[in-house]
Amino acid sequence: MQRVDVAVVGGGPAGSAAGRAAAAEGADTLVLEKGVPRADREGLGPDSTDAAGILDYWVDIMDLDVPVPEHVKLRELNGADFIGPNESVEMDTTGIDSSYPNFGFTFQRARLDDWLRERAEDAGAEYRVGTGVGSVESDLTGRPSHRLTLKDGTEVETEYLILADGPQRTVTGQVLEPLLPDGKYDGLDATTANHIAYQEYREIPESLCEPDRLKFWWGHMPGHTAYPWVFPNDGRVARVGLTMPIGLDLDTVEDREEYALLRSDDERVPAGKEYVRRLLEYAYPSYDATDFPLQEDRGKRGGTETYPISSTRPIESPTRANVAVVGGAMGGTSAFHEGGDHVAIRTGKEAGRLAGLGALRAYNYEWQRAAGDEVRRNVVLADVVRDYGPDDWDRVFDVASAIQPDPGEGRAGWLDALRAGPAALGLFGRYQWGKFGVRDGGYCQIREDDYSV
Ligand SMILES: Cc1cc2nc3c(=O)[nH]c(=O)nc-3n(C[C@H](O)[C@H](O)[C@H](O)COP(=O)(O)OP(=O)(O)OC[C@H]3O[C@@H](n4cnc5c(N)ncnc54)[C@H](O)[C@@H]3O)c2cc1C
């Protein structure tokens, strides 16, 4: 049986970052990736669902040591548009201090993942792809250790276990559930706690191309933080997609006639493909969906991608068991799903570094120090917008336009809200109060003390 110091389950952004950091500390490190085929990658690799982009201040949160290389990047971004049924907001700055000069950039996710894998291998980690981890048995008597059995029967024993298996949490669930009181793990169950994302690679007519902006439509489809988007790729290709909670029952939706992407004869929530078609025809009314040809040689299969996204609050890890949960597996927030690649890379890096140093007990403290402000912001925003319908989104975009600070003035503050009137002040107050309510790690749905280790 192979014995290693650090085993990492999952080789996405979080797993590769963990592998690199652990190996860089001199630990014998193994990253285990089950391997997912993609039309635009030769051979198996991680489950690289293409992402929208990285915002300026996320670059600092990622803390990658070197800039993301040009071959990984697709576009520099200058802004994002948030479009409600009648109101919209154009954001040309994130308002958060950062070392990155532009609003952000878009990137080719498979290339990002391949580059992160290379960095892990260069640091000395073994990255094994092609067989998933089937089960884990933990021995917590004395010095903790974990025995992993791969789907092909191979066994690996490790002192430190880093769980980076993404939002499905197939291995994370097995490891954490027995350590928690009955029912406590239910909040992470992938069939109820997650969203589903669907996107298509489409060629956009020249006159509609906005290659330096992300576009999001809010209040057009029902469900908590359910929204469609257009994200620019290279050339005239963009990804048109959406995310929505799994298992939403249309009969429970109030005022359904107010959602522009629903039809009165819909008997159930439309499939992703249908939502994409409706979005294109709604957003670009003088065009037909066939004016946006599907790029079948892209993405996971036939120009389309489906992927689960964690929509839970994050969790602390059972570090006394020498276990760290990172990235999508540890959960992010529903408004800004999984916290994104930046939180995945940073939590992976912190866990790998500490496991490599034999100091994993500091992990919960360290990831919150590194990414806690971002996670807290997202948890609170998700709560503030939880029951929003189309009118609420119009109201909030109206307020957001009024509250936006002048260019170069940084983030909106109490004074901007006061100047913009009572609605702005109320919204700003709810957000600030929410942040206060989840201070000191209160945004985590499972705390370290909840584990019986
Ligand atoms: C459509 C979409 C758009 C997004 N847009 C953005 C964006 O614009 N910016 C951003 O920062 N983030 C974005 N995200 C979120 C981002 O993709 C995630 O936060 C990120 O992928 C999390 O990284 P991870 O390594 O934790 O998990 P994953 O990327 O999910 O990686 C987990 C890996 O574990 C592997 N695995 C699972 N089970 C096993 C097993 N049993 N054995 C071995 N391997 C296993 C999987 O194959 C996978 O490769 C987006 C997500 C989606 C779906």
Side-chain angles (χ1 to χ4, degrees):
M1 178 169 37
Q2 184 176 2
R3 288 193 171 72
V4 294
D5 301 324
V6 180
V8 183
V9 181
S16 286
R20 175 184 161 86
E25 296 300 341
D28 188 7
T29 305
L30 175 63
V31 179
L32 294 158
E33 166 56 49
K34 68 177 176 189
V36 177
R38 287 180 62 84
D40 53 9
R41 179 198 270 134
E42 276 179 34
L44 293 177
D47 197 353
S48 310
T49 301
D50 229 338
I54 294 290
L55 299 183
D56 53 5
Y57 72 95
W58 293 8
V59 173
D60 300 320
I61 292 178
M62 287 195 293
D63 196 26
L64 275 169
D65 317 320
V66 290
V68 171
E70 290 305 313
H71 79 274
V72 169
K73 285 187 186 174
L74 291 172
R75 301 271 187 199
E76 293 297 333
L77 287 171
N78 287 319
D81 300 330
F82 298 86
I83 303 157
N86 300 296
E87 303 284 344
S88 57
V89 187
E90 290 179 11
M91 249 177 81
D92 297 326
T93 167
T94 59
I96 297 181
D97 286 342
S98 89
S99 61
Y100 197 75
N102 302 325
F103 186 80
F105 59 88
T106 61
F107 57 95
Q108 213 268 11
R109 172 67 196 275
R111 280 188 226 145
L112 176 79
D113 286 357
D114 292 347
W115 176 65
L116 293 170
R117 170 186 175 172
E118 256 170 58
R119 279 167 52 89
E121 289 175 326
D122 289 348
E126 181 189 348
Y127 187 107
R128 195 180 300 167
V129 63
T131 310
V133 174
S135 61
V136 177
E137 262 180 62
S138 298
D139 181 355
L140 304 181
T141 53
R143 198 174 171 151
S145 68
H146 309 274
R147 180 178 295 205
L148 282 60
T149 306
L150 275 57
K151 294 264 170 71
D152 64 2
T154 312
E155 290 188 325
V156 176
E157 188 160 301
T158 185
E159 184 173 359
Y160 292 99
L161 177 63
I162 299 182
L163 297 167
D165 54 343
Q168 292 296 75
R169 307 188 182 94
T170 47
V171 180
T172 294
Q174 283 181 44
V175 176
L176 298 193
E177 202 167 358
L179 303 179
L180 288 166
D182 276 355
K184 189 79 184 169
Y185 184 80
D186 295 352
L188 287 173
D189 181 49
T191 54
T192 51
N194 284 351
H195 276 47
I196 191 79
Y198 172 80
Q199 58 185 358
E200 296 183 357
Y201 291 75
R202 298 271 191 156
E203 191 176 73
I204 307 293
E206 182 101 56
S207 55
L208 300 178
C209 263
E210 289 184 83
D212 62 345
R213 300 193 77 80
L214 306 173
K215 284 188 174 300
F216 303 88
W217 283 260
W218 288 91
H220 291 78
M221 50 189 282
H224 176 222
T225 59
Y227 57 95
W229 61 68
V230 173
F231 296 157
N233 268 55
D234 52 311
R236 278 166 43 203
V237 176
R239 274 162 299 118
V240 185
L242 58 114
T243 180
M244 56 183 165
I246 291 174
L248 177 68
D249 178 357
L250 206 49
D251 290 337
T252 63
V253 174
E254 286 173 22
D255 304 323
R256 41 181 284 191
E257 64 288 349
E258 288 181 22
Y259 291 93
L261 299 186
L262 287 184
R263 302 285 176 265
S264 53
D265 57 350
D266 282 336
E267 286 176 5
R268 60 181 71 87
V269 172
K273 198 177 165 60
E274 175 61 14
Y275 259 143
V276 165
R277 193 187 61 76
R278 290 183 190 178
L279 173 72
L280 287 171
E281 293 185 353
Y282 166 82
Y284 308 108
S286 46
Y287 291 79
D288 185 84
T290 54
D291 295 324
F292 304 77
L294 187 66
Q295 304 298 295
E296 293 184 21
D297 56 343
R298 308 269 187 134
K300 257 186 195 164
R301 194 152 46 101
T304 70
E305 305 192 326
T306 307
Y307 184 90
I309 311 190
S310 175
S311 47
T312 70
R313 285 186 168 204
I315 58 168
E316 290 185 345
S317 293
T319 61
R320 280 189 289 264
N322 284 357
V323 172
V325 192
V326 297
M330 71 184 268
T333 74
S334 44
F336 302 96
H337 303 280
E338 292 178 15
D341 290 307
H342 58 315
V343 174
I345 288 170
R346 186 60 183 270
T347 52
K349 177 176 177 171
E350 295 302 329
R353 180 175 66 83
L354 293 167
L357 290 168
L360 198 62
R361 288 295 305 278
Y363 171 62
N364 291 318
Y365 174 81
E366 287 295 323
W367 78 253
Q368 287 172 40
R369 194 180 57 80
D373 282 353
E374 168 75 347
V375 171
R376 181 177 171 204
R377 237 186 327 261
N378 293 344
V379 164
V380 174
L381 274 175
D383 279 354
V384 169
V385 306
R386 181 160 293 278
D387 298 318
Y388 272 23
D391 291 349
D392 301 304
W393 284 107
D394 274 342
R395 191 171 42 82
V396 90
F397 289 151
D398 188 33
V399 164
S401 302
I403 214 174
Q404 273 207 36
D406 291 333
E409 272 189 16
R411 218 177 315 176
W414 284 104
L415 269 181
D416 300 283
L418 194 60
R419 274 197 293 269
L425 201 57
L427 186 70
F428 198 68
R430 267 199 303 286
Y431 172 64
Q432 294 297 349
W433 180 246
K435 273 183 38 177
F436 180 73
V438 295
R439 67 197 181 283
D440 300 331
Y443 47 75
C444 294
Q445 62 169 309
I446 295 176
R447 304 301 299 264
E448 175 133 36
D449 286 346
D450 291 326
Y451 297 102
S452 52
V453 184

